[in-house]
Amino acid sequence: MPDYVLAIDQGTTSSRAIVFDHAGTIVSTGQLEHDQIFPQPGWVEHNPEQIWDNTRQVVGIALTRANINHADLAAVGITNQRETTVVWDKNTGKPVYNAIVWQDTRTQAIVDELGGATGPDRYKSVVGLPLATYFSGPKVKWILDNVDGAREAAERGDLLFGNTDAWVLWNMTGGVGGGVHVTDVTNASRTMLMDLDTLSWREDIAADMGIPMSMLPEIRSSSEVYGHGRPQGMVPGVPIAGILGDQQAATFGQACFEVGTAKNTYGTGNFMLLNTGTEKIPSKNGLLTTVCYKIGEADAVYALEGSIAVTGSLVQWLRDNLGLFSDAPDVEYLAGKVEDNGGAYFVPAFSGLFAPYWRPDARGALVGLTRYVNRNHIARAALEATAYQTREVMDAMRADSGVELTELRVDGGMVANELLMQFQADQLGVDVVRPRVAETTALGAAYAAGIAVGFWNGEADVEANWAEGGRWSPALGQDERERLYRNWKKAVTKTFDWVDEDVR
């Protein structure tokens, strides 16, 4: 058995390749950012060909830095930004349009039309999701409705759809020369097209959205051999054996295998998942019911998820759009120069509000301003917004599941921010725990692939490899904690009802 597993992490802002050893430690990394394309307010796109080019490059970088080649790899795992939608021609390998990103809100009219008299919960009992611009199905419909010739090509059977996992896998396994068109249950559960009970596509929902079944990838488990690297590629003949949507991959990498365990990923947005075992729990409090993972022939494991659209991307916005600082980590330095937020609250509803509100009519607001407030307070308010939004999701999880969390495992880029992690513990009232290997998304995909080929022996090896790297305990008094949260909840209401027919 070779000594390493490679994970490809195709994320919202960049594509990475990470080589892991048997202990689950990072051997080497390659990373490249791709362009964020904003053609109109509310529209967010990526160039799928740039993503594929970058993927190939980062694999080469990671292998070179590790001083290894494909023969040293036992398997490759893929994790990806979920819901981001690619439609391509299977005969040419060319996308018919840019990838429409999960944050994009252009499909609101389609979503409203599909909801009809029933409203956003029309399909929720089947797919676990409310009708929202977030998910893939309506994005496919938009492409077929708006790209010249796309619907005709789709009905001829010439077009394929996938989230970016399926796009990368198809290209890695040969593309037009025999590429495998497959996705896993976690990605399929984010399309609004998969039945959560049967783990199969629903023809009736696809028909409602005008999506030919021939476009859809085959749904497989999260851990099995889907195909092998193409002969002329960077990993020729290597089994590609794991796929998990990014948040599910992080849950797996965090070893959240027991019912009631939860993790929160701090990335472009924030995503908290609570393992509910083989039982799917319908949410009454604005959460999503989703597939957590499925290992080979074992039963699927489900989760409740709270999805927050804007957290880390708010820090990027302060850097890129306002020029408040030049490097994202500087936000902690600025925020640390003041004792509190000075009364300022920043609600980053740039794409509306996701969980637990699902308010597409909301837009961002900075409230509570006085002459006293300076850029340090604004930096602090931006960080605090992440913690408040996470608390809202945790409150919803408690209400839906009846589970009182004793700690929250955290990962993602923002967990390096000590000020944020402490404030998060203060707001949640429970310990916040960071693992030693913070790249849990890529690690989860590596584990899924390695388990499929016998490199690791199931969940037991994952649990054995997990180690605590940092812990923050609540230190804020209960009265102050609740005062701050009460004002946050008030600030959120100021963002509602902004979008109407002539305001986007």
Side-chain angles (χ1 to χ4, degrees), residues 192-230:
M192 300 208 73
L193 299 169
M194 188 188 83
D195 187 314
L196 279 182
D197 288 320
T198 65
L199 307 181
S200 59
W201 300 121
R202 284 289 293 245
E203 289 194 42
D204 54 341
I205 300 177
D208 288 346
M209 296 191 192
I211 300 171
M213 297 295 291
S214 60
M215 293 183 69
L216 303 181
E218 181 185 353
I219 301 173
R220 305 270 282 273
S221 80
S222 308
S223 178
E224 62 178 272
V225 176
Y226 314 109
H228 296 79
R230 62 199 173 101

Side-chain angles (χ1 to χ4, degrees), residues 317-385:
W317 184 85
L318 292 176
R319 179 193 68 190
D320 299 340
N321 292 42
L322 298 191
L324 214 57
F325 39 81
S326 57
D327 294 308
D330 291 343
V331 69
E332 182 176 12
Y333 169 74
L334 293 182
K337 292 173 74 171
V338 289
E339 290 296 314
D340 56 35
N341 62 19
Y345 291 80
F346 202 149
V347 187
F350 295 163
S351 302
L353 289 169
F354 285 12
Y357 299 100
W358 298 104
R359 292 291 298 256
D361 60 312
R363 285 296 178 268
L366 180 57
V367 300
L369 298 182
T370 61
R371 285 288 299 274
Y372 173 71
V373 171
N374 60 36
R375 69 176 189 154
N376 302 322
H377 296 110
I378 292 172
R380 191 176 187 102
L383 292 181
E384 290 184 355

Side-chain angles (χ1 to χ4, degrees), residues 6-9 15-19 27-32 51-70 72-73 76 172 230 232-236:
L6 175 73
I8 294 169
D9 181 356
S15 299
R16 293 185 298 174
I18 302 182
V19 176
V27 177
S28 66
T29 303
Q31 181 171 0
L32 288 171
I51 285 174
W52 170 231
D53 286 344
N54 285 1
T55 299
R56 285 157 46 201
Q57 289 188 59
V58 297
V59 168
I61 292 167
L63 293 178
T64 301
R65 287 176 175 167
N67 197 28
I68 62 175
N69 64 28
H70 65 276
D72 298 299
L73 299 176
V76 176
M172 286 188 74
R230 62 199 173 101
Q232 70 275 34
M234 296 299 298
V235 289

Side-chain angles (χ1 to χ4, degrees), residues 13 37 44 71 96 100 104 116 126 172 176 194 207 217 239 275 282 284 312 494:
T13 58
I37 303 164
V44 189
V96 301
I100 301 181
D104 190 287
V126 176
M172 286 188 74
V176 295
M194 188 188 83
N275 185 323
K284 298 183 176 68
K494 307 305 180 188

Side-chain angles (χ1 to χ4, degrees), residues 4 53 76 92 99 101 109 127 133 139 158 163 181 190 259-260 262 282 318 327 346 373 377 382 426 439 456 465:
Y4 306 104
D53 286 344
V76 176
T92 65
V101 179
V127 303
T133 60
K139 300 181 197 297
D158 289 339
N163 294 341
H181 189 216
R190 315 299 293 196
V259 174
L318 292 176
D327 294 308
F346 202 149
V373 171
H377 296 110
D426 291 340
E439 299 292 353
W456 284 294
N465 282 348

